[in-house]
C-alpha cells in the first residue's frame, strides 16, 4: 500500500454548446467474441477483422500482425499481389500498413474518411475494454503483446503515445484482463491509500498503461499510407455480393466494423454508443482516472467519458449526458456538491447493470 502526493485537480469548466464540446461514436461490439479469421468464397480470399468493441485502437497493431500472418500463409500457394482493405478506421489502416510489408499492392475502400470514423472519436486509454473474447484467449495473448509493444515503441516518435498511470477506485477490467493473460507485460497493479486527489479519502488502485491520442495516431497512419501511395477509394458497398462481385482484387480484408453486420449478415454484431465531453486541454494533468466515469487528459482536450448504450446506432451527441458526465466526475473531486449522492443512470459505464458489457473477463468465464 502506497500514499502519493496529491495530484492536480482538473478544471471542469465545460460549455456543452461550444463547437466540438460533445462527441458521440458507435463501438462495433460483437457478442461472443471479435472475428479474426479467413474464408474463401466466389474465388476470393477474405480475411475478417472486426467486432472489437471499445478495444479497436488498443488491439489494432496486434490484429494487423495476425492479418499479415494469415495473408502470408495464403500467398505461399497463391501468386496474387493485389489486396483490397475494406474500412479506413484503425483496423483497416493498421492492416494495410502491415500488408505493405509483404510487398503487396494495397487499396483501401471506405465510405468515410479516417477522421470521420469511430476510431477518430475514441478516448484513447490503452485497455482491452468493451469487447467479448470467449474462446480467443490464446490468440489474444499474442495480439495484446504485439499491440502493446508496438505502441510503446512509438513513444516520442510522433504517434501520439504516452506512458500514463491510471487511478481507479475499483479494478479496471480492461487492464486486469491484460495482467491475467500476459503477466509481466504491464507493471503490477499497486494499491493506493488514499487516492491521490482532492476530495478523495478512499483507497484505490494505480495501474501503468498507455495513452494513445486518436487524432494524432489516426492522422499519422493516414499520412504514412499516403506517403507510400496507398489509394483511398470512396466506396459504399451494399452487400457481400456487391463486395465479392465488384472488386477485382482476389484478397479482401474486411475491417468494416459495425458495417459487417449488414455486409456479412453477422447478427452477433451490435452497436454500442458512447459519448465524450471534450474540455480544454490541461497539460499539467499527466494521469488517467476512473470514478463516476473516466478522464483521459490529452494534448488536444481533457476527455471525459463513461457511457454505454447498447443497440443505439447514431452518432448524435447528447448535451445533457455530456453535462452529467462532467458534473458527476467533478463531484468525485469535491469541485461541485451534488444535491444527493450520485446515482448513476443505466447508460453509465459504471452502472452495475453494465458489468457484463464492460468486463471482457466475464465473456471468458
Amino acid at each position: 500500500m502506497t500514499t502519493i502526493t496529491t495530484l492536480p485537480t482538473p478544471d471542469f469548466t465545460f460549455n456543452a454548446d461550444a463547437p466540438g464540446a460533445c462527441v458521440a461514436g458507435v463501438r462495433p461490439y460483437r457478442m461472443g467474441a471479435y472475428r479474426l479469421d479467413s474464408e474463401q468464397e466466389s474465388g476470393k480470399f477474405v480475411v475478417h477483422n472486426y467486432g472489437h468493441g471499445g478495444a479497436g485502437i488498443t488491439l489494432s497493431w496486434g490484429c494487423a500482425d495476425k492479418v499479415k500472418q494469415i495473408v502470408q500463409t495464403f500467398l505461399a500457394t497463391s501468386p496474387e499481389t493485389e489486396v483490397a482493405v475494406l474500412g479506413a478506421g484503425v483496423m483497416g489502416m493498421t492492416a494495410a500498413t502491415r500488408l505493405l510489408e509483404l510487398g503487396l499492392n494495397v487499396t483501401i475502400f471506405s465510405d468515410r474518411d479516417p477522421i470521420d470514423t469511430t476510431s477518430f472519436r475514441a478516448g484513447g486509454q490503452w485497455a482491452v475494454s468493451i469487447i467479448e473474447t470467449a474462446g480467443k484467449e490464446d490468440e489474444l495473448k499474442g495480439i495484446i503483446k504485439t499491440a502493446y509493444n508496438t505502441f510503446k515503441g512509438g513513444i516520442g516518435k510522433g504517434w501520439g503515445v504516452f506512458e500514463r498511470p491510471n487511478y481507479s477506485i475499483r479494478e479496471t477490467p480492461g487492464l486486469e484482463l491484460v495482467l491475467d493473460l500476459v503477466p509481466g507485460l504491464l507493471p503490477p497493479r499497486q494499491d493506493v491509500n488514499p487516492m491521490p486527489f482532492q476530495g478523495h479519502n478512499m483507497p484505490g488502485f494505480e495501474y501503468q498503461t498507455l495513452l494513445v491520442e486518436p487524432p494524432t495516431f489516426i492522422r499519422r497512419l493516414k499520412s504514412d499510407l499516403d506517403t507510400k501511395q496507398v489509394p483511398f477509394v470512396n466506396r459504399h458497398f451494399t452487400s457481400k455480393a456487391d463486395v465479392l462481385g465488384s472488386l477485382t482484387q482476389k484478397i479482401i480484408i474486411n475491417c468494416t466494423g459495425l458495417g459487417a453486420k449488414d455486409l456479412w449478415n453477422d447478427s452477433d454484431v451490435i452497436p454500442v454508443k458512447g459519448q465524450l465531453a471534450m474540455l480544454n486541454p490541461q497539460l499539467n494533468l499527466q494521469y488517467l482516472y476512473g470514478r463516476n466515469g473516466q478522464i483521459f487528459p490529452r494534448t488536444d482536450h481533457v476527455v471525459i467519458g463513461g457511457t454505454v448504450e447498447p443497440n443505439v446506432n447514431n452518432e448524435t451527441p447528447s448535451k445533457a449526458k455530456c453535462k452529467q458526465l462532467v458534473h458527476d466526475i467533478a463531484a468525485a473531486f469535491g469541485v461541485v456538491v451534488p444535491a444527493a449522492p450520485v446515482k448513476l443512470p443505466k447508460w453509465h459505464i459504471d452502472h452495475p447493470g453494465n458489468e457484463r458489457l464492460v468486463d471482457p473477463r466475464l465473456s471468458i468465464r
Side-chain angles (χ1 to χ4, degrees), residues 227-249:
T227 298
K228 294 170 183 175
Q229 299 183 322
V230 173
F232 282 72
V233 177
N234 186 287
R235 176 71 186 276
H236 175 74
F237 296 99
T238 59
S239 65
K240 178 172 69 171
D242 184 17
V243 172
L244 298 176
S246 65
L247 292 178
T248 60
Q249 292 88 346

Side-chain angles (χ1 to χ4, degrees), residues 89-101:
V90 68
M91 285 300 178
M93 289 201 292
T94 53
T97 300
R98 286 292 177 256
L99 291 173
L100 289 174
E101 297 170 358

Side-chain angles (χ1 to χ4, degrees), residues 8 28 50 108 110:
Y50 65 85
I108 296 177
S110 176

Side-chain angles (χ1 to χ4, degrees), residues 68-262:
K68 176 184 173 182
Q69 294 173 24
I70 293 171
V71 172
Q72 192 168 25
T73 299
F74 173 74
L75 292 175
T77 57
S78 171
E80 299 299 330
T81 59
E82 303 287 332
V83 180
V85 174
L86 311 185
V90 68
M91 285 300 178
M93 289 201 292
T94 53
T97 300
R98 286 292 177 256
L99 291 173
L100 289 174
E101 297 170 358
L102 298 177
L104 296 169
N105 298 317
V106 179
T107 301
I108 296 177
F109 295 85
S110 176
D111 58 3
R112 291 190 176 197
D113 290 332
I115 62 171
D116 294 324
T117 63
T118 296
S119 304
F120 194 82
R121 297 185 176 99
Q125 177 182 210
W126 192 90
V128 186
S129 58
I130 313 183
I131 184 174
E132 295 204 15
T133 64
K136 300 281 191 176
E137 296 80 27
D138 288 340
E139 174 184 88
L140 193 57
K141 292 176 185 179
I143 289 172
I144 289 171
K145 187 174 181 179
T146 298
Y148 178 79
N149 287 333
T150 304
F151 276 117
K152 191 170 181 179
I155 293 175
K157 299 178 181 178
W159 290 95
V161 184
F162 306 88
E163 289 189 291
R164 291 286 185 265
N166 174 309
Y167 296 97
S168 176
I169 64 168
R170 58 180 65 89
E171 289 185 356
T172 300
L175 294 174
E176 288 291 330
L177 179 68
V178 177
L179 294 173
D180 290 345
L181 289 182
V182 195
L185 184 67
L186 299 177
R189 182 191 72 197
Q190 300 294 317
D191 297 330
V192 181
N193 190 17
M195 288 275 281
F197 301 103
Q198 170 186 312
H200 293 64
N201 58 8
M202 73 291 289
F205 303 108
E206 177 189 352
Y207 298 86
Q208 296 297 327
T209 186
L210 303 174
L211 173 66
V212 182
E213 299 193 353
T216 301
F217 181 52
I218 296 300
R219 286 191 174 105
R220 173 63 183 270
L221 283 170
K222 176 63 162 61
S223 175
D224 283 3
L225 290 167
D226 286 343
T227 298
K228 294 170 183 175
Q229 299 183 322
V230 173
F232 282 72
V233 177
N234 186 287
R235 176 71 186 276
H236 175 74
F237 296 99
T238 59
S239 65
K240 178 172 69 171
D242 184 17
V243 172
L244 298 176
S246 65
L247 292 178
T248 60
Q249 292 88 346
K250 296 295 181 65
I251 303 174
I252 299 172
I253 314 300
N254 175 23
C255 301
T256 54
L258 191 61
K261 179 180 182 65
D262 294 327

